[in-house]
Amino acid sequence: MTTFDYDGRVFVSVDHDAGDGAEPLRGHYHQRGDLVWAEITGGPVRHGRLAGTCDAHGVVRFAYLEVLTDGTIVVGECESRPERLPDGRIRLREQWRRHGPRQDSGVSVIEEAAPALAAGQESRRRV
């Protein structure tokens, strides 16, 4: 079993510029055994999903599908490598590759949201 458990964790993009008024890209992760999946919203993403597997070192390999706010559909694949932050949260360095007409590749960084922030965002959305 993996040393990293992603179930119930919320990750936010550290690359997002919050100055534009949009909420940061946010993923709500789930895990059962080596299966990992998430729902993604925020930033340019209106709705997104990812699904993949996690190895014994916590490396997640997954495919993703996103519908952007402008209606564009984006698909791709990613490998996320975890590291522990000093406060115990998880940071993921993501090597991604987008397929289709908007092909691209790069590296992104997401970090687990602090518990109070993750809980606050959830309660605010329910109101």
Side-chain angles (χ1 to χ4, degrees):
M1 189 61 178
T2 180
T3 57
F4 289 89
D5 181 10
Y6 298 104
D7 194 45
R9 297 182 190 267
V10 176
F11 289 87
V12 294
S13 172
V14 300
D15 302 329
H16 177 76
D17 177 11
D20 65 4
E23 287 199 30
L25 191 63
R26 177 179 297 273
H28 296 260
Y29 279 61
H30 312 278
Q31 183 174 355
R32 298 291 180 272
D34 70 339
L35 181 63
V36 176
W37 69 99
E39 300 84 31
I40 307 160
T41 58
V45 179
R46 194 164 102 198
H47 180 83
R49 299 280 181 171
L50 68 82
T53 57
C54 180
D55 71 16
H57 302 287
V59 176
V60 181
R61 291 173 182 85
F62 62 84
Y64 64 89
L65 168 69
E66 299 171 340
V67 178
L68 304 183
T69 55
D70 68 2
T72 303
I73 296 172
V74 176
V75 297
E77 59 188 293
C78 184
E79 180 177 281
S80 297
R81 295 192 169 273
E83 63 182 80
R84 287 268 179 215
L85 295 170
D87 63 4
R89 293 178 304 125
I90 300 170
R91 173 183 291 148
L92 293 171
R93 294 190 182 279
E94 303 188 307
Q95 181 73 42
W96 53 268
R97 186 172 64 216
R98 189 181 314 144
H99 304 296
R102 295 179 58 175
Q103 291 183 18
D104 200 1
S105 63
V107 176
S108 298
V109 177
I110 62 174
E111 290 182 356
E112 184 177 355
L117 176 63
Q121 289 289 346
E122 285 305 308
S123 64
R124 189 173 79 202
R125 286 189 180 148
R126 289 186 194 127
V127 174

